[in-house]
Amino acid sequence: MNFAILFGGMSYEHEISIVSAIALKKVLHSTPIFIFCDAQREFYLIPAEKMRAKLFSSGAYRKETKLELKQGGFYRRVLMKEKPVHFDVLINLIHGGDGEDGKMASLLTFFSIPFIGPRLEASVLSFNKLFTKWYAASCGVEVLEYEVLHRGSYDVKTPYPYIVKPLRLGSSIGVSIVREEKERDYALDVAYEFDDAVLIEPFIEGVKEYNLAGCKADDFIFSIIEEPQKEQFLDFEKKYLDFSRTDRVQEASVDTALQKALHEAFKRIYEPLFAGALIRCDFFVIDDRIYLNEINPIPGSYANYLFEDFNAVISALAKHLPKEAKIPVEYHYIHSIQQAKGK
Amino acid sequence: MNFAILFGGMSYEHEISIVSAIALKKVLHSTPIFIFCDAQREFYLIPAEKMRAKLFSSGAYRKETKLELKQGGFYRRVLMKEKPVHFDVLINLIHGGDGEDGKMASLLTFFSIPFIGPRLEASVLSFNKLFTKWYAASCGVEVLEYEVLHRGSYDVKTPYPYIVKPLRLGSSIGVSIVREEKERDYALDVAYEFDDAVLIEPFIEGVKEYNLAGCKADDFIFSIIEEPQKEQFLDFEKKYLDFSRTDRVQEASVDTALQKALHEAFKRIYEPLFAGALIRCDFFVIDDRIYLNEINPIPGSYANYLFEDFNAVISALAKHLPKEAKIPVEYHYIHSIQQAKGK
């Protein structure tokens, strides 16, 4: 199986997508093709041996081969001819905007490129945290209470402490905890920097959090369950660690009943909407009840560190991608009309 | 204002998009550029004088200039050079799949092409009838009760008579009314031909239906309110009439209170999700209460026949398109990490 990794994008998570791609290079058994989407949304073919963060931050990537996305694949122009870049399956590794919001799913589907990643509807429902609430409810998975405010509004009804999140970003960008009134306006202004709307949820001190990744190939493949430890790092270090991880993490100590319940909640969320994707669901457990916190449809470095044999998982998933139903276009109506008109 | 009209697409409504484009040519004051997306999703520049249904049904369009969609526009290749196709604003007139499902919104946004039509989230929420139910509820607009069944299930709970619709198609394709048990399985099988899931709603004989189109430029611009008369035509004639209409229709006789209430419901649905689009909302009125039936985010021939001066409406909308927020990519994290590492 020859993989291509698509990374970058016009996204607040552009940089961590680069870090994520470098991490994935280390864990795949065969060297993938690297396709970079820059902030101007031009595509470049990056030789694997040049995959270092500095190539991108310095702008030196612009000297590499430019690619065009067309029907059937990515092409480079050699003299008068177009040559396709060869791979079997592309891994969409653009985090945040462009990658997780549905644009890349649309482009890849439209141009008939087989890919691992969330499809269009799955992207839109998981990228917008309000839509995720609606979706989880329809799956019978509980979520925390919430309210949505729009730019210009500071009229929060949720009691302190609460958490403020931009409605559409992934990662922890623009997220604040508000413990008292004097922190409110600043927290909202920070979130409004990133989105016209914000989601507000109660903040529960010391809540139990469990992350579970997985996908469906022949059957469901689950990762270990991780209890994230987030508080001891500076912001950029935390992010770097989250997205560059390739070492396996400590498995959370959860009893069989909880493990089963988390698997069950994951399945309800995953099927059928997320077919073709490897996702990570972040859950809260409060008084023995499971709540969906969020869905990461393209987790940092594909959460490779949560799997025993990541290469085997991604290869199995690559063989179980949903096929787009091709629609026959037959000009039946136009023929009927022309016959009716006697033409 | 120079318009381009994008039509066709891999869609069950491919043909009626052609009919729709021909209709729109008649009502715009200046001749637009025509860009055809064929069933293989290749783009062609079609000279306005050749815009006849037969050019497409015969396959003769393949002799026209092929276009490539790239950053900043559609390009044709002349010898070794690429020349952009010039227009100010593109009108997305691809009905159904590709056009209304969010793929075209994604492509046009990604490649920075100004366009009239629903944006990505608006497309996905209006294309999937289940998502539309969730969305309408969140806007405080009532909808009929419903249930969703997935392929293989015939276990309908809704009492007879009911209406069966493929979950994701626009138009009336695959829709049946079921009045008794013996009609059930066939109706479901027909709908499952078009989608893996179907929506079922009570069918209310003789329900009052009102269609209202509109958009927001400086302020809201509403069409007249139409009471659709649908039953007297054969299937293909009905469709042809719906999509080729350029003559104004009879205004429904509604009192001021109902007109105001319909305008109010339209505004709740439209704003802010549908900014940049001219949509038609189809409402039911039952016991003086308004219910949203469906949202047509790209109505046939843009519902030109419902407006006094369609050219003025579309030109005003073209000046009020939402701008995509450009995200600055600054390599802040990568620089911080490199500094921390002493590189």
Side-chain angles (χ1 to χ4, degrees):
Chain A
M1 184 71 66
N2 293 315
F3 288 111
I5 292 180
L6 179 65
F7 64 107
M10 190 180 83
S11 161
Y12 288 109
E13 296 173 67
H14 176 96
E15 291 182 76
I16 51 190
S17 173
I18 294 169
V19 174
S20 211
I22 292 169
L24 219 56
K25 184 186 162 194
K26 295 183 192 155
V27 294
L28 291 175
H29 290 189
S30 61
T31 307
I33 301 285
F34 288 95
I35 298 174
F36 178 57
C37 177
D38 78 356
Q40 287 69 48
R41 294 173 171 157
E42 303 278 6
F43 298 103
Y44 294 87
L45 182 64
I46 308 295
E49 68 277 12
K50 294 192 182 173
M51 281 294 294
R52 275 185 295 275
K54 210 173 171 183
L55 182 80
F56 306 100
S57 60
S58 68
Y61 71 86
R62 290 195 198 92
K63 294 179 194 147
E64 302 303 326
T65 308
K66 217 167 163 180
L67 298 178
E68 284 176 21
L69 178 55
K70 299 177 57 173
Q71 199 45 251
F74 287 88
Y75 293 81
R76 60 203 171 101
R77 188 162 281 280
V78 183
L79 299 173
M80 292 287 283
K81 286 192 183 151
E82 286 172 336
K83 296 206 170 180
V85 177
H86 292 291
F87 55 82
D88 298 313
V89 169
L90 180 143
I91 299 173
N92 175 11
L93 193 63
I94 298 183
H95 303 299
D98 281 357
E100 287 178 296
D101 62 5
K103 288 205 281 297
M104 208 44 69
S106 294
L107 267 68
L108 296 168
T109 303
F110 187 87
F111 291 115
S112 314
I113 297 171
F115 72 101
I116 286 175
R119 268 55 196 168
L120 174 50
E121 288 186 342
S123 302
V124 168
L125 292 195
S126 53
F127 194 62
N128 183 311
K129 296 180 174 72
L130 172 61
F131 301 168
T132 305
K133 298 276 187 186
W134 300 343
Y135 174 65
S138 81
C139 299
V141 173
E142 289 190 271
V143 292
L144 295 187
E145 296 162 68
Y146 63 95
E147 59 182 307
V148 172
L149 293 188
H150 293 271
R151 189 186 295 285
S153 171
Y154 297 84
D155 184 22
V156 179
K157 303 260 188 307
T158 306
Y160 301 105
Y162 53 77
I163 188 159
V164 176
K165 303 173 177 177
L167 194 66
R168 288 181 192 80
L169 283 183
S171 193
S172 57
I173 300 169
V175 174
S176 309
I177 296 159
V178 176
R179 295 176 192 278
E180 47 183 331
E181 194 180 339
K182 68 177 183 188
E183 297 171 338
R184 185 193 61 191
D185 292 6
Y186 180 74
L188 284 162
D189 284 336
V190 167
Y192 286 136
E193 281 284 306
F194 296 98
D195 203 316
D196 288 335
V198 302
L199 184 89
I200 294 164
E201 294 173 310
F203 175 72
I204 304 160
E205 196 81 57
V207 66
K208 279 285 186 192
E209 282 190 68
Y210 296 102
N211 295 352
L212 170 64
C215 61
K216 192 175 179 193
D218 274 325
D219 204 349
F220 273 97
I221 306 174
F222 290 113
S223 74
I224 60 164
I225 294 167
E226 181 197 15
E227 207 171 335
Q229 324 271 320
K230 291 184 175 178
E231 301 313 316
Q232 66 269 48
F233 302 109
L234 294 175
D235 195 45
F236 78 84
E237 289 177 337
K238 187 166 65 184
K239 216 167 284 300
Y240 181 75
L241 285 167
D242 269 6
F243 286 81
S244 66
R245 276 156 83 177
T246 54
D247 297 330
R248 285 198 64 207
V249 298
Q250 181 72 39
E251 186 159 1
S253 111
V254 293
D255 62 30
T256 320
L258 178 56
Q259 186 192 56
K260 201 177 156 197
L262 290 169
H263 284 190
E264 198 49 51
F266 184 103
K267 284 182 183 177
R268 286 175 180 227
I269 294 294
Y270 188 92
E271 207 162 38
L273 193 68
F274 287 93
L278 189 162
I279 71 175
R280 199 188 73 207
C281 288
D282 297 353
F283 295 106
F284 294 140
V285 175
I286 305 165
D287 297 337
D288 288 332
R289 289 166 74 155
I290 290 172
Y291 296 80
L292 178 72
N293 177 23
E294 55 185 60
I295 304 168
N296 290 282
I298 304 181
S301 64
Y302 264 95
N304 71 83
Y305 50 87
L306 294 178
F307 292 94
E308 186 75 41
D309 182 353
F310 177 75
N311 193 79
V313 174
I314 203 94
S315 301
L317 176 57
K319 290 182 193 129
H320 291 84
L321 301 179
K323 298 264 181 296
E324 196 195 11
K326 294 291 173 191
I327 295 171
V329 170
E330 285 166 346
Y331 297 101
H332 167 77
Y333 289 114
I334 288 175
H335 290 313
S336 308
I337 292 158
Q338 283 168 342
Q339 275 164 18
K341 285 181 175 171
K343 285 182 188 170
Chain B
M1 183 71 66
N2 293 314
F3 288 112
I5 292 180
L6 179 65
F7 65 107
M10 191 180 82
S11 161
Y12 289 110
E13 297 174 65
H14 176 96
E15 292 181 76
I16 51 190
S17 173
I18 294 170
V19 174
S20 212
I22 293 170
L24 220 57
K25 186 187 161 194
K26 295 182 190 153
V27 294
L28 291 174
H29 290 188
S30 61
T31 307
I33 300 285
F34 288 95
I35 298 174
F36 178 57
C37 176
D38 79 356
Q40 286 71 47
R41 294 172 170 158
E42 303 279 6
F43 298 103
Y44 294 86
L45 182 64
I46 308 296
E49 68 276 11
K50 293 193 183 173
M51 282 293 294
R52 275 185 295 275
K54 209 174 171 181
L55 181 80
F56 306 100
S57 60
S58 68
Y61 70 86
R62 289 196 199 92
K63 292 179 195 147
E64 302 303 326
T65 308
K66 216 168 165 181
L67 298 178
E68 283 176 20
L69 177 56
K70 299 178 57 174
Q71 198 46 249
F74 287 88
Y75 293 80
R76 60 204 171 102
R77 187 162 282 280
V78 184
L79 299 172
M80 292 289 281
K81 285 189 181 150
E82 285 172 338
K83 297 205 169 178
V85 176
H86 293 291
F87 55 82
D88 298 313
V89 170
L90 181 143
I91 300 174
N92 176 10
L93 193 63
I94 298 182
H95 302 300
D98 281 357
E100 287 179 296
D101 63 4
K103 288 205 281 296
M104 208 44 69
S106 294
L107 267 69
L108 296 168
T109 303
F110 187 87
F111 291 115
S112 314
I113 297 170
F115 72 102
I116 287 175
R119 269 52 198 168
L120 174 50
E121 288 186 341
S123 302
V124 168
L125 293 196
S126 53
F127 194 63
N128 183 310
K129 295 179 175 72
L130 173 61
F131 301 169
T132 305
K133 298 278 188 187
W134 301 343
Y135 174 65
S138 82
C139 299
V141 174
E142 288 191 271
V143 292
L144 295 187
E145 295 163 68
Y146 63 95
E147 60 181 307
V148 173
L149 293 187
H150 293 270
R151 190 187 296 283
S153 170
Y154 298 85
D155 183 22
V156 179
K157 304 259 187 308
T158 307
Y160 301 105
Y162 53 76
I163 189 159
V164 176
K165 304 173 177 177
L167 195 66
R168 289 181 192 81
L169 283 184
S171 193
S172 56
I173 300 169
V175 174
S176 308
I177 296 160
V178 176
R179 295 175 192 279
E180 47 183 332
E181 193 181 339
K182 67 178 183 189
E183 297 171 338
R184 184 193 62 193
D185 291 6
Y186 180 74
L188 284 163
D189 284 337
V190 167
Y192 286 137
E193 280 285 305
F194 297 99
D195 203 317
D196 288 335
V198 302
L199 184 89
I200 293 163
E201 295 172 309
F203 175 73
I204 304 160
E205 196 82 56
V207 67
K208 279 287 186 189
E209 281 191 70
Y210 296 102
N211 295 352
L212 171 63
C215 62
K216 192 176 179 193
D218 275 325
D219 204 349
F220 273 97
I221 306 174
F222 289 114
S223 74
I224 59 164
I225 294 166
E226 181 197 16
E227 207 171 334
Q229 323 273 322
K230 291 186 177 176
E231 300 312 317
Q232 68 269 46
F233 302 109
L234 294 175
D235 195 46
F236 79 86
E237 289 177 337
K238 188 166 65 185
K239 219 168 280 302
Y240 181 76
L241 285 166
D242 269 6
F243 286 81
S244 65
R245 277 156 83 177
T246 55
D247 298 329
R248 286 198 63 208
V249 297
Q250 182 72 41
E251 187 159 359
S253 114
V254 295
D255 62 30
T256 319
L258 178 56
Q259 186 192 53
K260 201 177 154 195
L262 290 169
H263 284 190
E264 198 48 51
F266 184 102
K267 284 183 183 176
R268 287 176 181 225
I269 294 294
Y270 188 92
E271 206 162 40
L273 192 67
F274 287 93
L278 189 163
I279 71 175
R280 198 186 75 206
C281 288
D282 298 353
F283 295 105
F284 293 141
V285 175
I286 305 165
D287 297 337
D288 288 332
R289 288 166 76 157
I290 290 172
Y291 296 80
L292 178 73
N293 177 23
E294 54 185 61
I295 303 168
N296 289 282
I298 305 181
S301 64
Y302 264 93
N304 71 84
Y305 50 86
L306 294 178
F307 292 94
E308 186 75 43
D309 182 352
F310 177 75
N311 192 79
V313 174
I314 204 95
S315 301
L317 176 57
K319 290 181 193 127
H320 291 85
L321 301 179
K323 298 263 181 295
E324 196 195 11
K326 293 291 172 191
I327 295 171
V329 169
E330 284 166 347
Y331 297 101
H332 167 76
Y333 288 114
I334 288 175
H335 291 313
S336 309
I337 292 158
Q338 283 168 343
Q339 275 165 19
K341 284 181 178 171
K343 285 186 189 169

